[in-house]
Amino acid sequence: MSNNYPTPEQQCAALWLVLKEHNNRHRSKHEKQPCVDGMPAAIAREWPSYDSVVTDMAKSDYSENLQCPHDLRFLGMTSGKTGSGGKTLCPHGVVCQAKIELFDHPASTAPKDDQYTGLLAPGRSVEHCIVRLSSAMRPPNDVVKTSIGKAVLRATGPKLRKAKLFPTFAIKTFRGNNVRSGNLLFSGCKVGQPETDYFAHCLCTQLTEKVNPALKPFVQKFWSYSDYPLSLGLSDYCAHDIDGNPPSGRIFFPYVLILKPIRKAGTSCASEPTVSAAASEEVSSATCPHHAHSNKKHGKGQTDEGGVERFDRFLEDMESIHSGTILFDLFCCPEPKAAIDPTRLQRIGRIITTSEAIPSHPDDNLFFRHQKKEEDFALRPEWERAAKMKCSVGHRKGSISKLAGWKLFEEQIERNTYVDFEKS
């Protein structure tokens, strides 16, 4: 039956136009201003300090992140954040349009009734997505000024002090029939990574529940919103397909989604969507004129006021991403017990860009809804019990929820024993 609701294509095009127009206004506003730390003002980015992030985590109301159904969230001056509706976490990033290419489900692996539903239904190309790549914050050791902030850094150990990047990735997929968009959010290590390469490690929808005691007072508030604030629900993404239709049977969804990077830092040339992962390895700037121009334009090796090379140069690198670039392979952990069994992980698809990449600013109002893990557990109550099961992986011991995160899944994928939907 036809309806007058906007199609997924129309919704995606409308939001993309809003983001491009905001970016053009931002560039026009700043292009005539004097340089900041040797950079054009339109490129220079102001990142909240670590102290500001900690304060925001302690005082802000995050319930809207779980409840807001909209794709743009106009915080205005009531948000309590600096600037006009600015983001404190992940303030700067790049956005582009993308699609998820999902492989056919191996017939021998599971009956049709046990295949993923909704936007993860196998054998489809899920078009009309908008993705955002960012860092949750800047390296804290560069900007911590208060005695409390310095004390926290000392207490957390060397990992946070040596962190160079906090990669995050979000994807928004539009659906028809007046059904709200499906949203997924991915991140890496809670205390950051020492590499400046955004694509150095896997990202996933779950962080381990192991929290350094020094950080607990600052993240404790998240437990007031959910019993599982470090794990994001996936059932909503699988509740309706791209046309807005629910599955004929039950909703079938995985426990965790994992992204394995395919694109390499410094690569701007597009990879053919149909080629294998090996065929999309890095292309140096010497062989890619667009990236060489980008380096010249933005000033490769530029430094901040302290003489340190800017950590957010990765954003300029990603602005050179072309349409048709394979960003990530998409993996699933089908249920909690599969997290400790590398033969049960599944490679189900890949994420491919379908447009150029443009900057995303703190005040562009782009919003990605977070889903509580409790909504998944309501549909799979046995998973909640299984996630608390004691286990050991190598020298690590604890419950599945305390061990299952980017590092475990990265190690499991590297064993190359997973079920590959593309090859099965």
Side-chain angles (χ1 to χ4, degrees):
M1 180 180 297
S2 62
N3 57 52
N4 294 321
Y5 299 126
T7 65
E9 182 179 9
Q10 290 170 335
Q11 295 174 64
C12 186
L15 182 56
W16 182 244
L17 180 61
V18 169
L19 295 172
K20 290 188 72 173
E21 289 180 343
H22 180 276
N23 187 58
N24 289 337
R25 289 194 301 271
H26 183 276
R27 184 172 61 248
S28 298
K29 178 181 177 181
H30 292 91
E31 63 184 3
K32 294 183 179 180
Q33 295 182 6
C35 291
V36 178
D37 298 326
M39 292 182 294
I43 300 173
R45 307 175 189 89
E46 181 179 352
W47 291 78
S49 68
Y50 180 71
D51 302 322
S52 299
V53 173
V54 169
T55 300
D56 179 80
M57 291 169 61
K59 294 183 177 181
S60 292
D61 181 2
Y62 285 94
S63 59
E64 279 289 299
N65 290 357
L66 302 170
Q67 299 168 3
C68 181
H70 304 299
D71 301 312
L72 290 172
R73 183 176 164 205
F74 297 93
L75 297 175
M77 299 306 293
T78 63
S79 66
K81 302 182 187 298
T82 58
S84 179
K87 307 176 183 77
T88 300
L89 290 171
C90 309
H92 297 278
V94 299
V95 290
C96 63
Q97 297 182 81
K99 65 180 179 180
I100 306 176
E101 185 180 273
L102 294 165
F103 309 131
D104 286 326
H105 197 292
S108 60
T109 304
K112 187 173 179 61
D113 290 343
D114 285 341
Q115 296 180 13
Y116 300 126
T117 57
L119 295 173
L120 290 183
R124 299 191 64 175
S125 180
V126 181
E127 311 280 344
H128 317 309
C129 304
I130 287 180
V131 301
R132 189 175 193 267
L133 304 85
S134 181
S135 177
M137 60 182 182
R138 68 175 300 170
N141 204 37
D142 294 347
V143 291
V144 168
K145 296 179 180 179
T146 67
S147 57
I148 295 178
K150 292 178 180 178
V152 171
L153 272 183
R154 287 194 298 270
T156 54
K159 287 187 177 180
L160 184 59
R161 295 198 302 271
K162 295 179 180 179
K164 299 297 183 185
L165 212 59
F166 297 77
T168 62
F169 181 84
I171 185 166
K172 180 182 294 293
T173 306
F174 295 92
R175 297 187 270 210
N177 203 29
N178 203 32
V179 175
R180 68 187 180 193
S181 63
N183 296 263
L184 298 172
L185 297 98
F186 302 81
S187 61
C189 183
K190 293 189 295 292
V191 291
Q193 64 181 41
E195 299 91 349
T196 57
D197 177 7
Y198 176 93
F199 297 98
H201 296 291
C202 287
L203 308 176
C204 69
T205 56
Q206 175 165 309
L207 300 172
T208 63
E209 291 185 1
K210 294 176 67 176
V211 179
N212 189 295
L215 290 176
K216 285 186 177 180
F218 302 97
V219 300
Q220 193 65 39
K221 185 174 181 178
F222 291 117
W223 270 264
S224 66
Y225 301 106
S226 168
D227 290 335
Y228 308 96
L230 303 180
S231 303
L232 293 176
L234 303 176
S235 55
D236 180 75
Y237 201 76
C238 297
H240 296 84
D241 63 19
I242 196 167
D243 298 315
N245 299 318
S248 56
R250 69 170 185 166
I251 301 171
F252 202 77
F253 54 94
Y255 176 55
V256 178
L257 284 172
I258 307 104
L259 298 178
K260 180 182 182 294
I262 296 300
R263 184 184 185 269
K264 303 296 182 181
T267 305
S268 62
C269 295
S271 304
E272 290 295 329
T274 56
V275 299
S276 65
S280 63
E281 288 297 317
E282 69 177 291
V283 179
S284 70
S285 60
T287 61
C288 187
H290 182 90
H291 185 64
H293 171 72
S294 177
N295 283 340
K296 182 178 179 181
K297 174 182 176 183
H298 296 305
K300 185 173 179 63
Q302 287 175 337
T303 60
D304 61 19
E305 63 273 14
V308 179
E309 185 170 354
R310 293 184 297 106
F311 88 97
D312 58 5
R313 270 199 45 78
F314 76 97
L315 293 174
E316 285 128 52
D317 168 52
M318 290 194 292
E319 285 175 35
S320 66
I321 292 175
H322 289 180
S323 177
T325 300
I326 302 174
L327 295 178
F328 299 98
D329 274 345
L330 181 62
F331 285 78
C332 283
C333 175
E335 62 171 347
K337 292 180 181 179
I340 57 176
D341 183 353
T343 66
R344 296 193 60 199
L345 296 184
Q346 303 164 334
R347 178 177 175 260
I348 68 167
R350 53 194 167 207
I351 298 175
I352 305 169
T353 63
T354 58
S355 77
E356 78 281 12
I358 62 173
S360 175
H361 304 287
D363 58 349
D364 64 9
N365 299 305
L366 180 60
F367 173 71
F368 296 86
R369 178 179 175 268
H370 301 48
Q371 184 185 11
K372 295 172 67 172
K373 199 65 176 180
E374 282 90 337
E375 295 177 25
D376 285 8
F377 289 153
L379 297 172
R380 299 287 187 278
E382 70 277 13
W383 284 8
E384 188 170 17
R385 297 187 294 271
K388 298 176 182 177
M389 184 181 72
K390 298 296 182 182
C391 63
S392 62
V393 182
H395 65 280
R396 289 170 289 189
K397 296 181 179 180
S399 65
I400 289 176
S401 62
K402 288 190 175 181
L403 298 180
W406 73 273
K407 188 173 184 179
L408 174 63
F409 290 122
E410 184 171 89
E411 293 172 352
Q412 304 288 54
I413 290 171
E414 286 177 352
R415 296 189 181 192
N416 205 32
T417 58
Y418 51 81
V419 179
D420 192 339
F421 281 21
E422 185 181 26
K423 297 179 181 179
S424 298

